[in-house]
Amino acid sequence: KLVKRSYGGVELLKTKAIPLVFRYHKMRPQKNIIGKAAAEFIEDGDTVFIDGTTTTQCIGKYITEKKDLTVITNNIGLAAFLSEYNINVICLGGKVVEIPDMVYSDITVQNASRFHADKMFFSVGSVNENGKIGTSGIYELMHITMMENSDKVFLLADHDKINRPMKQYLTDFNNVDYVISDFNFSDDTKNKYKNTEFINTSERQPL
């Protein structure tokens, strides 16, 4: 009684955190569309932080043709993939905390603090429709460090993450320049965060 069978797959019934291998496939079409929309903001010559989440990992395949690009990440899989192209890749290092790709420790945060990026792309497990951004607590210091060391901050979140229970509060949309999501945030939320641009991907065609 650990999983429930459904047409085309299975679903975990009880879990404290969805394993990384499951998250790779969860909401994959939406994550690909969101990742492509995010990639459109990455320009030749940029230095970018891309966190290790399965949502931001989708950015990778859409930036392989960029020139003079530096990507700094805590995702081993993303680093290995991009290294096959003409991209300068920096893996932040640390302990493998989510097999097989995601690393994190004090070393990760220390290394992130050494860099300044033009843009930072991240995702989390929960976002409130009123603009609060949750965190599991695992990657909190890394996310804060990346935000502080970036000129522009991009949050990527599919609609399944909206209004999920928050274990901890990371920040809110005041500290995010762009929210890229297939969820249509209300006008009240948009008016509350006037300095944040909302990119709605819900009407984009599946990739």
Side-chain angles (χ1 to χ4, degrees):
K1 298 183 179 180
L2 296 177
V3 299
K4 178 178 70 176
R5 289 291 302 273
S6 61
Y7 183 76
V10 296
E11 178 182 353
L12 290 170
L13 293 179
K14 293 182 179 180
T15 181
K16 293 183 179 179
I18 300 175
L20 191 62
V21 291
F22 282 83
R23 300 206 309 271
Y24 277 132
H25 302 287
K26 188 176 177 65
M27 305 297 290
R28 200 64 180 175
Q30 291 83 0
K31 289 178 180 178
N32 275 320
I33 294 172
I34 292 169
K36 186 176 188 299
E40 293 170 2
F41 287 92
I42 298 177
E43 302 172 309
D44 293 345
D46 274 351
T47 294
V48 298
F49 283 122
I50 300 180
D51 79 350
T53 55
T54 59
T55 302
T56 56
Q57 188 169 0
C58 293
I59 296 173
K61 58 188 170 184
Y62 303 111
I63 58 175
T64 57
E65 301 299 320
K66 299 295 181 181
K67 308 298 183 185
D68 193 27
L69 177 65
T70 298
V71 172
I72 307 166
T73 184
N74 67 312
N75 187 311
I76 300 171
L78 178 62
F81 171 76
L82 291 176
S83 68
E84 298 180 9
Y85 299 88
N86 191 27
I87 294 175
N88 182 33
V89 184
I90 298 170
C91 189
L92 290 171
K95 179 181 177 181
V96 177
V97 292
E98 293 192 82
I99 298 171
D101 291 331
M102 293 175 69
V103 298
Y104 181 79
S105 69
D106 291 344
I107 294 172
T108 317
V109 178
Q110 291 168 10
N111 287 340
S113 69
R114 298 170 57 196
F115 298 97
H116 182 87
D118 299 290
K119 292 146 191 170
M120 177 238 185
F121 299 85
F122 79 111
S123 186
V124 294
S126 177
V127 178
N128 187 282
E129 63 180 312
N130 293 322
K132 288 189 175 182
I133 301 170
T135 176
S136 64
I138 299 176
Y139 305 103
E140 181 178 3
L141 288 178
M142 182 191 71
H143 281 149
I144 291 172
T145 301
M146 288 180 171
M147 286 180 183
E148 291 176 345
N149 289 13
S150 300
D151 293 334
K152 296 292 182 182
V153 176
F154 295 73
L155 171 66
L156 283 59
D158 61 72
H159 67 267
D160 188 61
K161 293 180 171 66
I162 308 302
N163 292 330
R164 279 187 169 271
M166 287 187 185
K167 296 181 179 179
Q168 291 180 239
Y169 170 57
L170 176 65
T171 185
D172 59 32
F173 291 170
N174 280 317
N175 293 312
V176 172
D177 297 287
Y178 294 85
V179 175
I180 304 178
S181 177
D182 61 341
F183 179 81
N184 187 21
F185 288 91
S186 68
D187 289 339
D188 287 343
T189 299
K190 293 176 182 177
N191 289 331
K192 183 178 179 181
Y193 303 100
K194 292 184 179 295
N195 294 325
T196 302
E197 184 171 344
F198 293 81
I199 309 297
N200 189 341
T201 63
S202 62
E203 296 183 358
R204 298 199 181 197
Q205 294 299 314
L207 302 172

